[in-house]
Amino acid sequence: MELTANLVLQKTKVDNLSLVKNLNLWGTDITDISIVKQLPNIEVLALSVNHIRSLRDIGECPSLKELYLRKNDVSDLAEVQFLTKLPNLTV
């Protein structure tokens, strides 16, 4: 399943992607998270128990402080490199 702008807005109850600071999509069978690149102010992203394979798009979230990815399908440890350019990521 693809994470869409409509799903993000519905889940966060805001009317603009730039207003999203916290997004919890635990256990929603998501595979495509490319929309996260359009969340410039996201600080907490909970994506545990999904089917995410790549962390590339998460690397485009400069405000990210907390990331939860337990039980996904990331099989290549090199994917972690995409998170190295996130200066605020602490959890």
Side-chain angles (χ1 to χ4, degrees):
M1 179 170 110
E2 177 183 3
L3 179 56
T4 63
N6 283 340
L7 179 58
V8 171
L9 296 174
Q10 176 186 5
K11 209 59 169 146
T12 57
K13 295 179 174 60
V14 297
D15 59 2
N16 188 315
L17 292 177
S18 67
L19 299 174
V20 176
K21 288 188 179 274
N22 189 326
L23 181 60
N24 184 348
L25 292 165
W26 186 93
T28 51
D29 290 326
I30 292 172
T31 54
D32 180 349
I33 57 167
S34 57
I35 192 80
V36 298
K37 294 184 291 191
Q38 297 178 35
L39 305 175
N41 297 308
I42 189 82
E43 294 179 0
V44 180
L45 188 54
L47 297 170
S48 295
V49 193
N50 281 291
H51 298 287
I52 297 164
R53 292 193 170 132
S54 175
L55 306 179
R56 177 184 303 270
D57 297 316
I58 297 171
E60 304 295 322
C61 300
S63 300
L64 195 62
K65 295 178 181 178
E66 298 181 31
L67 176 62
Y68 302 95
L69 287 168
R70 181 176 64 88
K71 293 191 176 185
N72 270 285
D73 297 335
V74 178
S75 59
D76 188 353
L77 190 57
E79 289 291 325
V80 176
Q81 290 295 325
F82 294 116
L83 304 180
T84 60
K85 56 184 176 178
L86 299 175
N88 301 311
L89 188 62
T90 56
V91 177

